[in-house]
Amino acid sequence: MKAVIQRVANASVTVDGEVKGSIESGFLILLGVENGDNESEAKTLAAKIAGLRIFTDENDKMNLSLLDIDGSALVISNFTLCADARKGRRPNFTNAAMPDIANPLYEYFCECLRENGVKRVEQGVFGADMKVQLLNDGPVTLVIDSKELAKH
């Protein structure tokens, strides 16, 4: 799984003109599920993200986690994170898991965030054409690959 985590002041997702999810201070997480990903990786990635200390404390140091600030998460499924753009000019998406595998892992990841103490987890609509709005805070943006987490 690949996740792009953006620290945001607020974020929302709209499908067909209707807001499906919105948050205030927290993380916008774009999540790509790849072939071979599993529940163990989703669980590890969710725990890592919930505990990331990238919010500033009273000394303006990145010392606080999403849990520390009682922040929210907006999780958007994004198969394009799995693109292979090494050859040619048109990305190849064969690394992306098929929807029947990806959607349950996306849902499980969101549940794991909740189990790790994130009280408010909003979601987009899997497979839909979504319009995502956000106000970056910082900006602070991280990319985490679950396969890299497994190496440590």
Side-chain angles (χ1 to χ4, degrees):
M1 291 182 167
K2 292 183 179 176
V4 174
I5 300 105
Q6 295 180 301
R7 188 177 76 183
V8 297
N10 59 65
S12 65
V13 60
T14 303
V15 176
D16 295 329
E18 182 182 344
V19 175
K20 295 295 186 178
S22 66
I23 63 166
E24 293 303 317
S25 184
F27 290 155
L28 170 64
I29 303 168
L30 304 175
L31 185 72
V33 180
E34 296 181 298
N35 291 320
D37 287 344
N38 58 49
E39 287 188 352
S40 176
E41 290 177 58
K43 189 173 192 172
T44 300
L45 184 60
K48 181 70 163 185
I49 291 171
L52 278 175
R53 298 184 332 172
I54 60 173
F55 292 91
T56 55
D57 63 15
E58 65 279 358
N59 297 316
D60 204 32
K61 300 288 182 197
M62 283 199 245
N63 273 330
L64 303 176
S65 71
L66 192 60
L67 304 177
D68 295 327
I69 68 152
D70 199 25
S72 303
L74 174 58
V75 185
I76 305 295
S77 61
N78 190 338
F79 80 94
T80 62
L81 290 177
C82 306
D84 180 352
R86 292 177 294 178
K87 293 182 181 178
R89 295 181 295 168
R90 185 179 200 173
N92 176 324
F93 299 104
T94 57
N95 291 336
M98 297 301 291
D100 61 325
I101 301 294
N103 191 25
L105 282 172
Y106 163 74
E107 294 290 341
Y108 183 71
F109 171 83
C110 292
E111 185 56 37
C112 288
L113 281 176
R114 292 180 188 99
E115 289 173 3
N116 277 280
V118 181
K119 293 177 187 161
R120 184 165 177 217
V121 178
E122 297 279 315
Q123 295 178 232
V125 177
F126 187 90
D129 179 21
M130 296 176 271
K131 307 302 181 204
V132 179
Q133 292 185 309
L134 67 141
L135 178 59
N136 273 320
D137 181 8
V140 176
T141 303
L142 301 174
V143 178
I144 301 177
D145 187 324
S146 63
K147 308 240 181 326
E148 294 297 318
L149 291 177
K151 293 179 183 179
H152 292 77

